[in-house]
Amino acid sequence: MNTGQTCRRVCSGLAWMAGLEGGDTGHGWTGSGGNSLLLPSGSSQAASFGKCFLDRFPPDSFVRMCQDLRVLNAVRDYHIGIPLTYSQYKQLTIQVLLDRLVLRRLYPLAIQICEYLRLPEVQGVSRILAHWACYKVQQKDVSDEDVARAINQKLGDTPGVSYSDIAARAYGCGRTELAIKLLEYEPRSGEQVPLLLKMKRSKLALSKAIESGDTDLVFTVLLHLKNELNRGDFFMTLRNQPMALSLYRQFCKYQELETLKDLYNQDDNHQELGSFHIRASYAAEERIEGRVAALQTAADAFYKAKNEFAAKATEDQMRLLRLQRRLEDELGGRFLDLSLHDTVTTLILGGHNKRAEQLARDFRIPDKRLWWLKLTALADLEDWEELEKFSKSKKSPIGYLPFVEICMKQHNKYEAKKYTSRVGPEQKVKALLLVGDVAQAADVAIEHRNEAELSLVLSHCTGATDGATADKIQRARAQAQKKMEGLEEEPLETLPTEQW
Amino acid sequence: MAAHLSYGRVNLNVLREAVRRELREFLDKCAGSKAIVWDEYLTGPFGLIAQYSLLKEHEVEKMFTLKGSRLPAADVKNIIFFVRPRLELMDIIAENVLSEDRRGPARDFHILFVPRRSLLCEQRLKDLGVLGSFIHREEYSLDLIPFDGDLLSMESEGAFKQVANMMIRMKREFTGSQNSIFPVFDNLLLLDRNVDLLTPLATQLTYEGLIDEIYGIQNSYVKLPPEKFAPKKQGDGGKDLPTEAKKLQLNSAEELYAEIRDKNFNAVGSVLSKKAKVISAAFEERHNAKTVGEIKQFVSQLPHMQAARGSLANHTSIAELIKDVTTSEDFFDKLTVEQEFMSGIDTDKVNSYVEECIAQKHPLIKVLRLVCLQSVCNSGLKQKVLDYYKREILQTYGYEHILTLHNLEKAGLLKPQLGGRNNYPTIRKTLRLWMDDVNEQNPTDISYVYSGYAPLSVRLAQLLSRPGWRSIEEVLRILPGPHFEERQPLPTGLQKKRQPGENRITLIFFLGGVTFAEIAALRFLSQLEDGGTEYVIATTKLMNGASWIESLMEKPF
């Protein structure tokens, strides 16, 4: 190659480039060339050669032009027969060109072009594959099995291909079975389920929805099923699907209470049935007879569930309700729906001690709690005389410290002191401190030789008034220390609250 | 802005930014002025990711709470509903929309489902004839809300009831997305609350835990009685005492709080007094500042010092409030009983303290919590004991609570002992759940968070990281929950690659809730020098014993 030749080539290359820049070499060429050659080798080679001599020439437009030319040449091939000019092609855009190819079922070429241009899969290859698949499902002469397999082989897991769209097309052509097969490949249950429902494959839809774990989908199917099937069938379907069943129960709890009852009935779930009737006795029934009747049903259910305790408790409640109604009639005031404890308290507060006693006996309120109850009620009434009488009625099962405490709560030190002498030895110091008798508390603590008690008293010694007492304790402590020498003893309390 | 989220090994601020961006994008879709109608439950969680100012920047002019009948008047172009996908809320929305349509000028309605769009709800809107009124119907997947540098929560109420459903779902979502979203985690440990029913029932004894037990922390905010926070002015005579509750935000952005939140409450006092000395010493330094340069330097430090002083004052007040409770006799008695139960003393008979609590009608939640604790610590109560408690509760608090008791039994919190075997002692001994020598000031074991009891859940996590669960197979078999076995394959992921000298990061997901004390214990493990594992905690709900029991309670009227 001599220099002259090189020069000419460079020049023609440069001219081509200039044309590219100006944007009309493509036109000029198509105008003059007009045949199906891939590229006019001379000028393109010249261009590729020439661009080496240009500094800072961005190669993009060169590359793009080459690509466009290749695409154009490919579609101009006589097998295809789309004689587009460059400007027509630019006007149409590649998307439309692809669509035309797809319409002519030229899928392989369309895919090759997509791959060659590196179009994003969703716009390119996947879209065309989807079109192909949609065309494929219309081939009535091929068996469902084969079509589904062929489609899956080609499409595989290509991202962006919606199997549900293809399935919808298949369903549109009346090939339901094929649609179902195709849906098997659909990874998104959100797409799968609605179509299955549309195809009236609700049971399959239900199991797909459950597989997905998406509660919302399950609900959608359930409500659909409910409208579609009769009640019995619907329940039977649910029965085999524990997750769906429990979801449906939740739904019913808020939306359809009656259905919930039927569901429990079907499952022989007497425990839940009992609870259901209890709720009903509060919510649905106003009249006392109705409430008692609902409770009776609940109690029966509990017996069936072998829940003796709940059954007995429910019967007690029925008894209590009737009694409360009677009390309201006879004594006035409000009793209904008070707890047993509060009913007895209200009676005592109203001065009906006899009735209170009777009630406590009938319902076997344990002695200890009854004492607490009476104590609290009498102190609330500030009926100190009655309280004292009560304290002497027999030996208190709860000790006498509560008496001291409750009097102090009502700021009645005078009454409180009456009981300190009867408080048992372990709680005596506490009782004495409560009524403010620090000196005597100190004596008792010293007598008990109890370190914890001693420090408790000491912590209550305030200012000058208790100075003597504090000294006394310190002396006793020192003495105890001497005796204890060698037998070191830690204070018992190591619980956190004590240290701070 | 949210510095407390980025201090950890895993930068959770990224997550916060992502959800903020998503919110902004949604708001910008609805052009023009906007009013937001809030599902009240969502305001708390949203407060953690976006302040009102962010909403305002995007032309949100009014905010309402979702209520029946008609909306308050608002001169805006768009009305956006922020709601959970719940049917009962759809009814309210429909009512709102219909009454608004009647009122006059057309508005644009939009709906944002949090955290998930629901076909069911849309169907309901369609049935009510309003679905077409909504221009944008979208979902906002606010699943895990970052609370702190190592803490995420879904804040979904009543989660425990739905654990079974959730489990299936969560598992799927996590197996799918764990790698793509959090490639930073080496292990994922899913812990179902059913495995450890015991821990939340006990009273938490860390600083943060106690604040939660006594005042309740909601979405990292706590409301406190205002008296102790009144500004001290001379000659004020205390006439202007604030009556509104004092609201404080609690997170690790506050230096002092970060230091004390996870300490045993008994160790908090000394830190506070030490801090007080340091701060007053720092303020005293102004007397030493002689030259202009020194004074300038002092002044430049002032804002920081004042913030520190403010924070110290707040926490001293909170600590005083808590101390009033913890030094009360009743708190002491309750704690004694709890600790007796947990160390296995007299769990098989009726407890006289519980009896007294019932007789004096202490709050029902407290009673239930104790009874459940006893039941769990005894692998169920003897039928006679159980029936006695139940009867006492029904007679005292009312028969209607039979439903609550039933719920507790379903949840396994309360049950009769089956086969007469008490497994708890075995579990306690093998897992060393009860430690007699607890160092509250300088803890050496996680048991410090309950002053003796080491939370079972955290102990399991600890043993998983070292020496592995194979050593405790016996115990795993007797722990409740058949699902447990199913999750055992997870540890195989343990043998993943691990850079030398770097700690593994474990994402531990508490299904059904986690307590602050458990979080504290995990943070303690993360900080151990030879621990080898750091934890990031995710949960369905931050909870404590009281809120837990409450979520299981049912009132029929």
Side-chain angles (χ1 to χ4, degrees):
Chain A
M1 199 182 280
N2 63 39
T3 31
Q5 260 181 318
T6 317
C7 262
R8 215 176 58 238
R9 281 204 166 183
V10 170
C11 288
S12 81
L14 284 177
W16 204 76
M17 302 302 297
L20 261 188
E21 297 257 77
D24 63 356
T25 306
H27 302 268
W29 173 78
T30 28
S32 60
N35 60 22
S36 66
L37 278 171
L38 263 180
L39 277 179
S41 59
S43 57
S44 82
Q45 267 175 22
S48 107
F49 180 77
K51 78 175 164 50
C52 304
F53 295 87
L54 288 174
D55 282 344
R56 288 180 235 106
F57 177 74
D60 306 5
S61 46
F62 176 70
V63 173
R64 217 176 305 124
M65 180 54 82
C66 290
Q67 284 177 336
D68 285 346
L69 291 175
R70 265 200 89 165
V71 171
L72 280 175
N73 277 322
V75 296
R76 283 169 186 161
D77 187 277
Y78 72 95
H79 292 293
I80 311 297
I82 308 182
L84 278 182
T85 67
Y86 179 80
S87 40
Q88 281 172 328
Y89 167 63
K90 278 292 152 186
Q91 202 80 46
L92 277 181
T93 72
I94 181 70
Q95 297 303 339
V96 177
L97 179 61
L98 287 173
D99 283 344
R100 293 201 175 168
L101 291 174
V102 163
L103 274 176
R104 293 179 193 199
R105 294 186 208 146
L106 296 166
Y107 303 109
L109 179 66
I111 287 176
Q112 272 175 352
I113 290 178
C114 291
E115 281 169 351
Y116 175 65
L117 293 179
R118 300 212 182 93
L119 291 181
E121 290 203 319
V122 184
Q123 293 172 26
V125 177
S126 316
R127 198 168 62 100
I128 291 156
L129 280 174
H131 276 295
W132 168 76
C134 290
Y135 159 71
K136 191 82 183 161
V137 296
Q138 291 166 29
Q139 292 180 332
K140 299 247 152 100
D141 47 334
V142 189
S143 79
D144 292 344
E145 201 65 46
D146 293 343
V147 175
R149 202 177 323 114
I151 289 178
N152 184 239
Q153 258 168 16
K154 274 264 165 29
L155 270 61
D157 291 327
T158 319
V161 173
S162 162
Y163 277 97
S164 55
D165 285 351
I166 306 170
R169 181 68 65 94
Y171 176 61
C173 308
R175 298 182 72 167
T176 313
E177 281 311 311
L178 175 61
I180 292 169
K181 285 208 170 67
L182 287 170
L183 274 181
E184 284 291 321
Y185 300 119
E186 174 61 58
R188 290 164 301 173
S189 358
E191 301 286 322
Q192 232 174 3
V193 171
L195 190 60
L196 283 170
L197 283 181
K198 209 163 131 199
M199 300 190 301
K200 307 221 180 316
R201 299 299 159 116
S202 344
K203 283 180 191 168
L204 188 60
L206 182 61
S207 57
K208 286 284 173 212
I210 291 169
E211 257 175 50
S212 78
D214 183 340
T215 46
D216 196 46
L217 268 184
V218 180
F219 271 129
T220 312
V221 182
L222 281 179
L223 293 190
H224 191 95
L225 273 176
K226 203 180 109 200
N227 294 331
E228 192 179 77
L229 302 173
N230 68 40
R231 218 177 165 78
D233 289 347
F234 177 54
F235 282 1
M236 281 316 284
T237 315
L238 280 184
R239 211 169 180 173
N240 304 322
Q241 302 281 7
M243 182 200 166
L245 184 60
S246 72
L247 278 176
Y248 189 61
R249 275 202 206 110
Q250 264 183 25
F251 171 77
C252 290
K253 211 165 182 176
Y254 296 107
Q255 303 288 327
E256 292 176 29
L257 275 175
E258 276 307 301
T259 319
L260 188 64
K261 191 174 78 183
D262 296 344
L263 274 174
Y264 289 142
N265 252 326
Q266 182 196 275
D267 295 349
D268 291 330
N269 191 339
H270 297 295
Q271 176 66 38
E272 288 296 344
L273 215 49
S275 299
F276 176 86
H277 287 294
I278 292 175
R279 274 179 217 115
S281 85
Y282 285 101
E285 293 288 347
E286 290 278 321
R287 295 163 310 115
I288 200 83
E289 300 81 25
R291 292 185 56 177
V292 170
L295 287 177
Q296 182 62 57
T297 331
D300 293 345
F302 286 134
Y303 275 120
K304 277 189 199 151
K306 300 212 167 39
N307 187 340
E308 197 92 358
F309 174 84
K312 285 260 155 46
T314 307
E315 283 169 352
D316 277 353
Q317 176 65 7
M318 289 156 57
R319 209 147 52 99
L320 184 64
L321 271 181
R322 287 205 194 95
L323 223 141
Q324 284 172 334
R325 160 42 54 85
R326 213 164 53 231
L327 287 174
E328 280 189 3
D329 289 348
E330 289 170 20
L331 307 174
R334 267 202 64 77
F335 283 96
L336 271 179
D337 281 326
L338 291 182
S339 72
L340 174 65
H341 193 94
D342 292 346
T343 311
V344 177
T345 306
T346 314
L347 282 173
I348 296 177
L349 289 178
H352 309 287
N353 285 331
K354 277 269 155 52
R355 292 223 188 203
E357 291 285 343
Q358 185 63 39
L359 205 61
R361 251 198 315 280
D362 285 354
F363 284 90
R364 291 181 293 125
I365 293 184
D367 229 14
K368 276 193 203 166
R369 183 153 56 82
L370 188 59
W371 272 69
W372 274 108
L373 189 163
K374 274 193 180 170
L375 177 71
T376 319
L378 290 174
D380 275 351
L381 280 177
E382 302 195 26
D383 189 345
W384 306 116
E385 204 178 316
E386 192 62 34
L387 184 68
E388 196 174 348
K389 240 195 277 170
F390 170 56
S391 78
K392 286 174 179 158
S393 61
K394 65 174 189 174
K395 191 174 178 298
S396 161
I398 54 172
Y400 292 89
L401 183 63
F403 284 82
V404 181
E405 281 173 342
I406 206 107
C407 294
M408 288 311 292
K409 224 178 182 175
Q410 305 278 1
H411 309 291
N412 194 333
K413 199 187 257 188
Y414 174 77
E415 287 295 328
K417 280 189 170 167
K418 286 183 182 169
Y419 302 100
T420 47
S421 59
R422 298 164 74 182
V423 175
E426 319 86 77
Q427 293 173 318
K428 193 134 210 168
V429 173
K430 214 165 145 191
L432 287 166
L433 285 176
L434 266 177
V435 298
D437 195 342
V438 183
Q440 211 188 329
D443 288 344
V444 176
I446 292 167
E447 194 183 314
H448 287 170
R449 292 194 189 129
N450 182 323
E451 181 54 41
E453 282 182 5
L454 283 172
S455 26
L456 185 66
V457 180
L458 207 53
S459 69
H460 277 75
C461 291
T462 45
T465 45
D466 302 318
T469 319
D471 288 346
K472 201 166 158 188
I473 293 171
Q474 296 295 15
R475 274 201 306 280
R477 260 191 170 167
Q479 250 174 15
Q481 208 97 56
K482 262 185 211 161
K483 276 185 197 165
M484 288 290 201
E485 223 134 89
L487 286 166
E488 212 170 297
E489 197 179 304
E490 291 264 322
L492 283 170
E493 269 72 12
T494 45
L495 279 163
T497 46
E498 288 291 289
Q499 293 176 3
W500 209 53
Chain B
M1 194 175 176
H4 59 289
L5 296 177
S6 41
Y7 75 84
R9 279 278 299 281
V10 180
N11 188 349
L12 297 181
N13 209 13
V14 180
L15 201 61
R16 183 171 181 269
E17 283 309 319
V19 285
R20 282 166 68 96
R21 191 174 53 238
E22 212 181 307
L23 182 64
R24 281 198 296 264
E25 278 166 10
F26 175 76
L27 288 174
D28 288 342
K29 252 185 225 170
C30 320
S33 55
K34 311 169 183 61
I36 295 183
V37 184
W38 286 97
D39 171 353
E40 204 164 15
Y41 185 82
L42 291 174
T43 50
F46 264 84
L48 291 171
I49 57 146
Q51 281 78 21
Y52 183 49
S53 57
L54 181 134
L55 299 176
K56 232 173 170 174
E57 278 165 29
H58 294 266
E59 295 181 81
V60 175
E61 290 173 0
K62 293 263 167 59
M63 309 239 265
F64 310 120
T65 319
L66 186 61
K67 275 196 292 271
S69 74
R70 49 172 32 202
L71 290 166
D75 185 23
V76 289
K77 188 162 171 298
N78 299 284
I79 292 179
I80 313 176
F81 294 91
F82 278 35
V83 287
R84 288 167 293 164
R86 298 188 144 215
L87 288 178
E88 61 270 24
L89 297 179
M90 296 307 114
D91 296 351
I92 303 178
I93 290 177
E95 207 178 317
N96 281 177
V97 170
L98 290 174
S99 67
E100 195 70 14
D101 279 350
R102 254 176 269 128
R103 183 139 65 183
R107 313 293 186 83
D108 290 348
F109 292 103
H110 314 276
I111 193 164
L112 189 63
F113 288 109
V114 184
R116 227 161 283 308
R117 192 168 163 173
S118 142
L119 294 165
L120 197 63
C121 287
E122 293 189 351
Q123 182 64 39
R124 170 58 67 100
L125 288 175
K126 201 170 172 186
D127 293 346
L128 295 166
V130 293
L131 188 70
S133 313
F134 294 100
I135 297 175
H136 290 294
R137 296 191 308 272
E138 305 212 354
E139 65 179 25
Y140 183 62
S141 26
L142 188 65
D143 277 330
L144 284 167
I145 306 158
F147 270 65
D148 231 309
D150 58 355
L151 180 60
L152 300 156
S153 173
M154 296 170 69
E155 286 308 289
S156 68
E157 87 285 36
F160 184 70
K161 279 182 193 165
Q162 302 156 6
V163 161
N165 306 335
M166 202 88 102
M167 269 290 296
I168 306 165
R169 216 166 143 168
M170 296 297 312
K171 243 192 212 164
R172 272 175 57 94
E173 281 169 16
F174 263 86
T175 44
S177 64
Q178 191 199 355
N179 283 326
S180 52
I181 299 179
F182 301 122
V184 276
F185 298 121
D186 300 298
N187 303 314
L188 167 69
L189 171 61
L190 285 176
L191 262 181
D192 192 327
R193 196 72 267 177
N194 276 317
V195 175
D196 174 16
L197 297 171
L198 168 56
T199 306
L201 293 171
T203 305
Q204 311 170 66
L205 295 175
T206 58
Y207 181 53
E208 188 169 35
L210 275 168
I211 298 177
D212 186 41
E213 293 278 345
I214 299 168
Y215 297 106
I217 299 177
Q218 294 288 337
N219 296 306
S220 86
Y221 281 93
V222 66
K223 282 187 184 152
L224 298 160
E227 296 81 23
K228 293 240 180 190
F229 297 94
K232 282 183 196 115
K233 276 187 213 140
Q234 269 138 22
D236 203 8
K239 59 179 177 193
D240 296 328
L241 274 180
T243 44
E244 216 170 281
K246 169 97 175 169
K247 203 173 170 191
L248 280 178
Q249 187 173 23
L250 301 172
N251 63 38
S252 297
E254 195 181 343
E255 209 179 300
L256 176 62
Y257 189 61
E259 187 178 343
I260 56 176
R261 64 193 303 184
D262 299 320
K263 287 197 183 310
N264 186 294
F265 185 61
N266 287 325
V268 168
S270 58
V271 176
L272 288 179
S273 65
K274 221 181 287 162
K275 271 275 141 64
K277 275 181 207 134
V278 171
I279 288 176
S280 56
F283 273 99
E284 282 310 306
E285 252 170 44
R286 69 176 183 274
H287 299 302
N288 303 334
K290 293 282 186 302
T291 68
V292 176
E294 281 169 353
I295 292 172
K296 195 178 167 204
Q297 203 199 345
F298 177 80
V299 170
S300 72
Q301 286 170 347
L302 260 180
H304 180 74
M305 284 161 59
Q306 269 159 349
R309 187 163 65 176
S311 143
L312 180 70
N314 278 343
H315 287 290
T316 314
S317 303
I318 299 175
E320 276 172 22
L321 284 169
I322 292 177
K323 199 174 170 232
D324 288 347
V325 176
T326 55
T327 47
S328 73
E329 199 176 333
D330 190 58
F331 186 87
F332 182 80
D333 289 346
K334 182 181 76 167
L335 204 61
T336 313
V337 171
E338 279 183 13
Q339 303 210 333
E340 275 174 15
F341 286 159
M342 289 189 289
S343 50
I345 300 169
D346 287 343
T347 50
D348 58 346
K349 38 185 182 223
V350 174
N351 182 285
S352 60
Y353 174 74
V354 178
E355 241 181 331
E356 261 176 46
C357 285
I358 297 174
Q360 297 179 57
K361 272 195 100 168
H362 283 205
L364 178 60
I365 290 188
K366 175 185 171 186
V367 171
L368 290 174
R369 205 169 153 175
L370 282 168
V371 173
C372 290
L373 182 68
Q374 185 178 356
S375 168
V376 174
C377 288
N378 198 51
S379 304
L381 295 166
K382 282 189 181 144
Q383 193 69 50
K384 227 177 73 190
V385 177
L386 181 63
D387 285 355
Y388 178 80
Y389 278 140
K390 275 162 58 177
R391 209 174 111 89
E392 284 291 280
I393 288 168
L394 294 187
Q395 285 199 350
T396 310
Y397 297 92
Y399 166 77
E400 66 271 17
H401 296 292
I402 195 168
L403 297 172
T404 299
L405 291 176
H406 179 52
N407 286 343
L408 292 173
E409 286 181 64
K410 269 200 286 192
L413 284 170
L414 201 58
K415 59 176 186 185
Q417 200 182 71
L418 293 172
R421 254 186 70 88
N422 180 3
N423 289 323
Y424 178 69
T426 323
I427 302 175
R428 190 185 72 231
K429 277 173 210 146
T430 322
L431 299 182
R432 294 179 299 121
L433 295 186
W434 185 259
M435 308 294 274
D436 277 323
D437 46 344
V438 186
N439 188 339
E440 288 162 349
Q441 307 291 330
N442 299 300
T444 51
D445 181 73
I446 54 169
S447 56
Y448 85 93
V449 297
Y450 287 96
S451 291
Y453 164 71
L456 198 162
S457 53
V458 183
R459 187 68 95 203
L460 283 176
Q462 187 186 12
L463 288 169
L464 178 65
S465 96
R466 189 177 301 168
W469 279 355
R470 203 162 298 160
S471 58
I472 50 165
E473 263 173 11
E474 284 283 300
V475 171
L476 291 183
R477 223 171 298 134
I478 50 179
L479 279 175
H483 306 295
F484 206 85
E485 250 59 51
E486 200 188 320
R487 260 175 285 117
Q488 268 182 290
L490 272 174
T492 46
L494 257 175
Q495 278 88 39
K496 265 204 229 155
K497 57 175 179 346
R498 189 176 148 203
Q499 288 92 335
E502 203 185 63
N503 285 340
R504 280 183 307 222
I505 301 187
T506 294
L507 173 64
I508 173 164
F509 205 119
F510 284 88
L511 296 161
V514 67
T515 65
F516 286 106
E518 286 173 300
I519 294 168
L522 284 167
R523 286 187 184 139
F524 170 78
L525 289 182
S526 293
Q527 279 156 18
L528 279 186
E529 269 175 27
D530 55 349
T533 308
E534 279 181 47
Y535 295 93
V536 174
I537 305 142
T539 183
T540 48
K541 177 99 182 92
L542 287 164
M543 49 112 81
N544 61 39
S547 67
W548 194 24
I549 299 275
E550 208 172 352
S551 75
L552 291 164
M553 284 178 63
E554 183 174 346
K555 263 193 106 50
F557 59 89

